[in-house]
């Protein structure tokens, strides 16, 4: 077994979900990630936890969704398992990333509505979503299998305490702000309120890799237009060059150069799917290329992302209404040039550089100058 798999498992167990003696743990992995399952079971055994491995198969999911039509019942037996579970460990890594590309979008939307209570139950527990590097994901990223393995293991093995400290400044600034404005190029000028909502610091706990700060816009406050210039993969299909226009928090116009029919189906899943549930700022500069995997792409430094659909409960203040939806689809804007993030009218990032990075650099230069004078 590659020793990096054991290291990855230790990070998940000790840092991400903090497995303790007696914990009931559900491990959901594809068969391609069996080595990770073995390492996780070893660690659960050492810590006195009780694991159950659920093998996830995209082929099996495709077979069910292609033949199940557009009416699904909530799987109560799965929900019962989740209710009795303390921690979830989920890894992506199937052999064919386009396996579900021929599932009708309306079937997917109907199924997501049916399993929404199950997902809500899982999100209420300790959980970690991560990645196992496979040749299928390497191919999607345009990388060799070895290069992709190195990319994944490097991204999940950062100094997460240092990453948390780096991101804390942005968390504090967002928590103190009322209005956010995003400007990028000629096509993105978007404003929204975050008044009363909470900003979370993602440093490799629920997502591994981590590397973002995120909050929820006030649901009806989003105004303006946004062009997502970084493509995404959803339901085994590409969606590219997405443009959304918002009025009173709702998408009133949308288009995409590729995958517009799928985008339309996503937005029509339910009322909440036409509103923004998450605003995130990518701050992990160890992730420096698009791999068509949102778990990594949304964390890239010099990017922001917005998710249509559900808001995480932890980000919504007591006095604000939470946007609820069976969907949560992240889309990314490159902020590395001709762009800025404003908080209450003050620029906090311009062309990918945060103002607090500039302040820190200036302070270091002064210290060096003072040292040389003495």
């Amino acid at each position: 077994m590659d020793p990096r798999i054991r290291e990855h498992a230790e990070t998940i167990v000790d840092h991400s979900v903090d497995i303790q003696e007696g914990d009931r743990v559900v491990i959901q992995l594809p068969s391609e990630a069996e080595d990770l399952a073995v390492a996780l079971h070893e660690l659960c055994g050492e810590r006195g936890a009780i694991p159950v491995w659920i093998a996830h198969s995209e082929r099996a999911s495709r077979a069910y969704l292609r033949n199940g039509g557009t009416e699904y019942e909530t799987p109560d037996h799965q929900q019962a398992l989740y209710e009795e579970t303390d921690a979830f460990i989920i890894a992506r890594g199937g052999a064919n990333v386009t396996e579900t590309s021929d599932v009708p979008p309306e079937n997917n939307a109907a199924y997501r509505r049916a399993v929404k209570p199950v997902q809500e139950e899982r999100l209420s527990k300790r959980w970690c979503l991560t990645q196992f590097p496979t040749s299928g994901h390497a191919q999607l990223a345009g990388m060799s299998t070895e290069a992709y393995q190195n990319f994944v293991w490097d991204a999940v093995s950062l100094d997460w305490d240092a990453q948390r400290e780096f991101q804390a400044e942005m968390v504090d600034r967002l928590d103190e702000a009322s209005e956010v404005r995003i400007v990028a190029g000629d096509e993105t000028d978007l404003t929204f309120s975050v008044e009363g909502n909470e900003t979370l610091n993602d440093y490799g706990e629920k997502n591994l890799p981590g590397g973002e700060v995120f909050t929820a816009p006030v649901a009806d406050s989003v105004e303006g237009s946004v062009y997502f210039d970084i493509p995404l993969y959803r339901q085994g299909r590409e969606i590219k060059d997405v443009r959304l226009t918002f009025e009173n928090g709702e998408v009133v116009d949308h288009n995409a150069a590729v995958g517009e029919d799928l985008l339309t189906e996503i937005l029509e899943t339910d009322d909440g799917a036409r509103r923004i549930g998450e605003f995130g700022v990518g701050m992990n500069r160890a992730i420096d290329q698009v791999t068509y995997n949102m778990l990594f792409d949304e964390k890239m430094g010099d990017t922001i992302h917005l998710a249509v659909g559900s808001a995480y409960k932890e980000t919504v203040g007591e006095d604000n209404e939470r946007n609820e939806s069976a969907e949560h689809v992240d889309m990314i804007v490159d902020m590395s040039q001709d762009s800025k993030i404003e908080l209450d009218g003050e620029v906090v990032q311009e062309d990918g550089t945060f103002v607090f990075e500039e302040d820190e650099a200036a302070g270091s230069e002064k210290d060096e100058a003072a040292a040389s004078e003495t």
Side-chain angles (χ1 to χ4, degrees), residues 42-197:
E42 288 176 348
L43 292 169
C44 284
E46 291 174 6
R47 285 153 182 73
I50 309 161
V52 172
W53 178 16
I54 299 176
H56 177 74
S57 165
E58 290 291 328
R59 288 184 62 203
S61 295
R62 172 186 177 274
Y64 179 58
L65 294 175
R66 278 181 58 85
N67 291 278
T70 57
E71 296 292 333
Y72 297 92
E73 293 186 10
T74 298
D76 294 334
H77 56 311
Q78 184 180 10
Q79 185 163 353
L81 170 64
Y82 283 18
E83 289 170 354
E84 295 298 322
T85 301
D86 298 304
F88 294 86
I89 299 168
I90 303 170
R92 297 171 176 169
N96 182 359
V97 296
T98 62
E99 188 67 58
T100 60
S101 60
D102 56 357
V103 173
E106 59 271 22
N107 293 25
N108 264 308
Y111 181 71
R112 291 185 66 83
R113 288 191 292 269
V115 300
K116 182 183 174 184
V118 180
Q119 297 303 321
E120 292 284 354
E121 183 65 34
R122 178 178 67 78
L123 291 171
S124 72
K125 306 296 180 69
R126 286 146 42 212
W127 59 273
C128 175
L129 171 64
T130 190
Q131 178 74 37
F132 189 83
T134 62
S135 57
H137 281 272
Q139 187 172 27
L140 184 63
M143 303 168 70
S144 69
T145 301
E146 181 180 4
Y148 186 67
Q149 288 172 341
N150 293 336
F151 170 81
V152 170
W153 300 137
D154 288 347
V156 300
S157 60
L158 294 186
D159 181 338
W160 293 113
D161 289 336
Q163 190 68 28
R164 178 188 61 216
E165 291 179 10
F166 168 57
Q167 294 171 181
E169 178 72 23
M170 190 62 187
V171 172
D172 291 342
R173 289 173 182 259
L174 268 171
D175 274 341
E176 294 169 359
S178 295
E179 184 179 83
V180 178
R181 183 186 181 200
I182 305 298
V183 177
D186 297 327
E187 296 191 70
T188 295
D189 193 340
L190 198 72
T191 61
F192 51 87
S193 171
V194 291
E195 182 74 33
N197 284 346

Side-chain angles (χ1 to χ4, degrees), residues 302-323:
D302 308 343
T303 67
I304 64 98
H305 56 275
L306 298 162
V308 293
S310 61
Y312 293 107
K313 289 181 180 179
E314 303 95 323
T315 63
V316 181
E318 292 182 1
D319 296 330
N320 287 338
E321 181 180 355
R322 178 189 172 216
N323 192 56

